[in-house]
Each structure stands twice: as C-alpha cells, then as structure tokens.
Amino acid sequence: MDILSYFTLNNLMHLVDIAIIWFLLYKVIQFVEGTRALQILFGVGVVILIKVVSWYIGLTTLSWLMDQLITWAPIALVVIFQQEIRRGLETLGRRLTWRRQHIDNAKEHQLIKSLDEALQYMSKRRIGALITIKRDTSLDEYIKTGIKLDAYITSQLLINTFIPNTPLHDGAVIIDDDRVAVAAAYLPLSESTRIPKELGTRHRAAVGISEASDAITVVVSEETGEISITQDGDLLRHMARDAYMNFFERQFIAPVNEAAAKHWWQRSGRGLAK
C-alpha cells in the first residue's frame, strides 16, 4: 500500500485535533502545577479510568456510580477552582487585549525610586514588609480589608508603615495607580506546594495575590532581610538591588517608541474630532 495514501486531509485534521488536545492538556497541567488543583485533576482522571474499566468488564453498579460522579463533578470543580478559573480567564483576556501603556513615566520613576529607598532601608534592618502593586486586575476586594490611607507614595511612608509593633505594620500595603491605597490589608494565602517550607505567611500571601491577580508584590523577610518578588504565581527570591531595579523598569516603564506611538494616536484622534 502506498504510504502517501495516509496523508489525506481527513487524517491531517485528526492529527491537528490530537495535537491541540495534547497542547491544551499540557497547558492546564502547567498552569496548576504545584497547587491543590493538580491533585484534584489526578483524582478526576482516576474516576474516569475506573468508569472505563468498570464499563468494559461489566460492573454495572460501579459504572453507574462513576456516571453520577462525572455528571455532578463540573459543578463541584467550578466551586473548588473558582480562583484558578478566574485567574486563567483574566490571563487569557490580558493576552488578547492591548496592555496599558504609559505616556508619562514620571509616576513610574517616582514609584520605583520610593520602592528602592524603602527596600534598601528595610532589608538592611530586617524589617518585614509586604507591598502589592495593582496592575490591570481590580484589587477592590482586598483593598476593602485594609485601613485606608490614600496617600502619595514616598519611601518614608512605606518604611514607617512597616516599623514593628505599630498599628499598620501587620498586613499588606496596596498601591493603586500612584497612591498608597491602604495598609494592613489581608491577602489570600497560596496553597502551592512549590513554596519553600522555610518561608512564612508574608511569602504565601504574596504568591496568593499573584495567583488571584496580575499584581506585583514585593516581600522583605523579617528573618533574613531577603527581598522577593511575586508575579503570575511565580516567586523570585534573592533579589539584589540590580535585579529588582531591572525588574521594576521592565514592568513599569513604557518604552519611548510605544509612548510616542500612543501619543501620536491620541493627537490624531483629537485632530479628527476637531
């Protein structure tokens, strides 16, 4: 038989279909790796396997029971994985839309300067800190848990907030736009198994908020003075000054050509409006 006869459009579409399924499955496993979701997904896989085996060998009652589990499982999974589902949909939405660009980087430079001065001071003196910086995802539900400040961002304010044994030092500072929105806010704790056991509640909260949103969170360890950053569920540890300054500049400072392009577009829009 001619091997070329296998290369039909129908067979090719089957291969593409299988490849897409495998890719999506790989992405799902990669997304939930190190979280409770991975163990639950393995449990779902076991249920499906038991269903197939029981149906094949004729165990009617067991097969019926597995059918009931599979029927009601989607509702339970939505309840259990609501945080992961929201995070996944927000990530997908951000990739399908234009990222916010900044024309004027003055606020971003001030933010970076204030963070740098505060982090250097607190790290040397081992003052524990937890600072979350809002990006595109709303943090209103977490802002509501804190004590309202609505203050201009300065290194002195950030330092004084986290001085031990003061009313605001326990919890997170949340920065919204160019303002310190609240202090002493509560953040969700991550259940990821990838977080080293020697790290405490601050680091788990930092990873937790990065799993639930696109916020960037900075942690100063009270025990070692080590500076860590979390984003999109990832924990970046041992961040020296050069490392975190480069990170901040990449995240917050818009390239000149992008800012100029947007500025030109806005001027063109105003011209057309006239």
Side-chain angles (χ1 to χ4, degrees):
M1 183 180 293
D2 187 3
I3 192 172
L4 294 177
S5 62
Y6 290 101
F7 292 94
T8 63
L9 180 60
N10 189 45
N11 289 340
L12 180 61
M13 293 308 296
H14 284 311
L15 290 175
V16 171
D17 192 23
I18 294 172
I20 291 174
I21 294 299
W22 275 109
F23 176 77
L24 292 176
L25 183 60
Y26 168 75
K27 284 297 183 181
V28 168
I29 294 176
Q30 188 180 47
F31 184 76
V32 301
E33 182 183 6
T35 67
R36 59 175 181 168
L38 185 59
Q39 285 73 36
I40 295 177
L41 285 179
F42 281 137
V44 172
V46 171
V47 170
I48 294 174
L49 180 62
I50 293 174
K51 159 61 184 173
V52 172
V53 172
S54 62
W55 170 80
Y56 183 76
I57 63 178
L59 300 177
T60 307
T61 304
L62 183 58
S63 178
W64 176 85
L65 182 60
M66 293 300 104
D67 282 337
Q68 302 310 305
L69 286 176
I70 293 172
T71 299
W72 294 103
I75 299 175
L77 291 177
V78 168
V79 174
I80 295 171
F81 293 150
Q82 56 181 320
Q83 181 172 304
E84 287 82 357
I85 292 171
R86 183 178 68 176
R87 176 189 166 202
L89 292 176
E90 288 176 346
T91 301
L92 180 61
R94 290 197 301 271
R95 292 179 179 178
L96 294 177
T97 57
W98 289 100
R99 281 194 70 166
R100 179 183 61 188
Q101 299 295 341
H102 300 283
I103 296 174
D104 182 7
N105 284 321
K107 294 179 181 179
E108 284 69 31
H109 283 297
Q110 175 60 34
L111 169 62
I112 293 173
K113 180 175 181 293
S114 299
L115 285 173
D116 177 36
E117 292 174 353
L119 291 176
Q120 287 297 304
Y121 184 95
M122 293 187 291
S123 177
K124 291 176 182 178
R125 293 161 179 79
R126 297 187 180 182
I127 298 173
L130 181 61
I131 304 171
T132 294
I133 305 158
K134 174 184 171 294
R135 304 304 299 282
D136 295 324
T137 305
S138 173
L139 298 179
D140 287 348
E141 63 180 297
Y142 308 109
I143 290 176
K144 291 177 181 177
T145 67
I147 298 173
K148 184 177 180 180
L149 295 181
D150 190 24
Y152 185 66
I153 301 170
T154 65
S155 58
Q156 293 84 355
L157 175 60
L158 294 175
I159 292 169
N160 285 336
T161 301
F162 290 107
I163 294 297
N165 302 319
T166 56
L168 300 180
H169 89 283
D170 194 17
V173 160
I174 299 180
I175 295 175
D176 187 350
D177 197 12
D178 61 336
R179 310 284 290 179
V180 178
V182 295
Y186 292 98
L187 303 181
L189 298 182
S190 172
E191 298 183 12
S192 173
T193 58
R194 293 181 295 178
I195 301 175
K197 295 185 181 298
E198 69 268 16
L199 300 182
T201 304
R202 281 194 181 92
H203 291 83
R204 288 204 168 270
V207 175
I209 192 65
S210 74
E211 292 172 342
S213 72
D214 64 342
I216 292 173
T217 300
V218 187
V219 185
V220 179
S221 171
E222 190 172 358
E223 287 74 24
T224 64
E226 173 190 309
I227 297 172
S228 303
I229 296 176
T230 63
Q231 182 184 39
D232 295 332
D234 294 324
L235 174 62
L236 309 176
R237 299 185 62 188
H238 308 293
M239 299 292 284
R241 184 175 185 273
D242 289 343
Y244 72 67
M245 287 295 285
N246 288 334
F247 178 88
F248 290 152
E249 289 173 1
R250 289 197 310 271
Q251 295 298 321
F252 301 129
I253 304 300
V256 175
N257 57 340
E258 292 183 5
K262 184 170 182 180
H263 185 52
W264 174 86
W265 178 259
Q266 289 181 335
R267 283 186 299 150
S268 300
R270 287 195 294 269
L272 289 173
K274 291 179 180 179

